[in-house]
Structures are given as C-alpha cells and as structure tokens.
C-alpha cells in the first residue's frame, strides 16, 4: 500500500439551529397600523386643542364677567358638549384608537413605536380619569345649583375658578404630552416601514 494523500473526510458538523423568525408583517397590516395611529393622533390633537382653548380664552373670558354670567355660560358650554355625540365619540375613541394602535404596532414588530403609543395612551387615560372624577362632577353640581337668577351663594363659581380651571390645565398638558408621543410614534412608524 502506498502512502498517498489522505482520503479522510471529517463528518459534517451540524449547523446551529436558526433563531425562530417572526413572520414579516404584511403590507396591509402595516397600512392598518399606520392608519389607526393617524386616527389616534388626530383625535388626541382635537382634545388637546379643545382643552387649550378653554385655558387661554373661555375661562379667562368668563372670569372677567360676573358670577351669574359665569354660571349661565358654563352651563351652556357643558350642555352643548354633553349633548354632542361627535364630541363623545372623539373623546372616548381617542383612547381606544391609541390602545389598538399600540397593539398593532407591537404585533408588527415595531416595539419602539408601540412603546411611544402606549405611553401616549396612559397619559390620555389619566385625562379621562381626571375628567370623570373632577370636572364632570363639578359640571353636574353647577347644573343642579338651581335658577341662576335666584342664586345667592356663588361658591361653586370659586370652585370652578380654582379646581376646574387647574384640572383643565393638567388635562391640556397631559393631552399635549400624549400628542407629542403619538407624533414621535408616527415618525418612527414611517422610518421602520420604508
């Protein structure tokens, strides 16, 4: 036997298992997530604008008048808002759209986008909690205060000038924070879906 080149072939090494892959989001799923994110941003923006308008014009304007005018005008504003289904839908749908958007973004693998949208949803949820625990009870108390021409005690007006106005400023700041978070999420969504 001659000593020729070795014909030994080492056994094939098994390749390491591939990491589990997450399926790429479909184009339609990505479009849906983007559309819901836009709807959420617009609705939160409308709410931020409404609260801001009360901060800078409505409440200072009312404070410059007499107590009877204050009560009459606030009752009229509250009645108009409470009786407007478009407002009610936008007010509540803003949170629902933000939550749905966060879920869609997370499922689409856009974790950073989902985080920003989730933070915005939490800020807006606090707005709803403040509204239902502070502002609406004060509105109801004002509505139940009786005939404004016979009112002698206008203590409710003082509570509006302090508590209601303060919580409305907080709602404006929270809504603006949520809006900024959603704007950031829109930017990131656009970058990750190019």
């Amino acid at each position: 036997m001659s000593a020729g080149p070795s014909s030994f072939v080492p056994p094939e090494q098994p390749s390491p298992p591939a990491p589990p892959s997450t399926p790429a989001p479909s184009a339609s799923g990505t479009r849906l997530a983007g559309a819901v994110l836009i709807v959420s941003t617009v609705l939160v923006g409308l709410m931020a604008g409404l609260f801001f308008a009360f901060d800078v014009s409505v409440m200072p304007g009312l404070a410059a008048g007499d107590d009877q005018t204050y009560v009459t005008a606030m009752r009229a504003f509250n009645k108009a808002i409470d009786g407007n289904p478009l407002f009610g839908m936008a007010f509540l749908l803003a949170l629902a759209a933000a939550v749905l958007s966060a879920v869609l973004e997370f499922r689409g693998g856009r974790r950073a986008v989902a985080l920003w949208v989730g933070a915005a949803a939490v800020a807006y949820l606090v707005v709803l909690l403040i509204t239902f625990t502070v502002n609406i009870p004060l509105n109801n108390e004002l509505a139940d205060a009786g005939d404004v021409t016979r009112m002698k005690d206008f203590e409710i007006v003082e509570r509006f000038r302090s508590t209601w106005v303060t919580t409305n400023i907080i709602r404006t700041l929270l809504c603006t924070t949520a809006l900024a978070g959603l704007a950031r999420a829109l930017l990131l969504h656009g970058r990750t879906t190019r």
Side-chain angles (χ1 to χ4, degrees):
M1 263 186 127
S2 65
S6 172
S7 58
F8 174 76
V9 178
E12 237 180 73
Q13 295 294 322
S15 56
S21 63
T22 55
S26 67
S28 62
T30 301
R31 281 195 299 272
L32 175 63
V36 173
L37 180 54
I38 289 169
V39 168
S40 177
T41 305
V42 169
L43 292 174
V44 170
L46 288 172
M47 292 302 105
L50 174 69
F51 297 139
F52 181 68
F54 267 82
D55 291 337
V56 299
S57 62
V58 174
M59 302 315 283
L62 287 178
D66 61 85
D67 288 344
Q68 283 191 354
T69 302
Y70 197 106
V71 171
T72 302
M74 277 306 298
R75 283 177 173 174
F77 294 146
N78 292 332
K79 186 177 180 182
I81 287 176
D82 291 344
N84 189 323
L86 186 59
F87 167 79
M89 182 182 70
F91 186 58
L92 297 175
L93 195 57
L95 178 62
V99 170
L100 177 59
S101 176
V103 169
L104 291 172
E105 295 293 350
F106 185 82
R107 285 188 177 170
R110 294 174 295 278
R111 306 288 196 262
V113 179
L115 184 63
W116 281 100
V117 179
V122 169
Y124 191 78
L125 176 61
V126 176
V127 169
L128 292 182
L129 292 174
I130 291 171
T131 300
F132 286 111
T133 59
V134 179
N135 296 87
I136 289 177
L138 278 171
N139 291 347
N140 293 339
E141 189 179 340
L142 187 68
D144 297 338
D147 184 352
V148 69
T149 60
R150 298 182 181 196
M151 286 177 71
K152 303 289 184 208
D153 181 10
F154 286 93
E155 180 192 340
I156 182 69
V157 173
E158 290 311 312
R159 285 204 296 286
F160 260 78
R161 286 181 176 144
S162 58
T163 306
W164 197 100
V165 169
T166 300
T167 55
N168 194 69
I169 291 169
I170 294 168
R171 292 190 298 178
T172 303
L173 293 172
L174 285 166
C175 265
T176 304
T177 300
L179 183 59
L182 290 169
R184 177 68 178 157
L186 273 173
L187 182 65
L188 292 175
H189 177 89
R191 286 179 181 167
T192 57
T193 56
R194 281 182 190 156

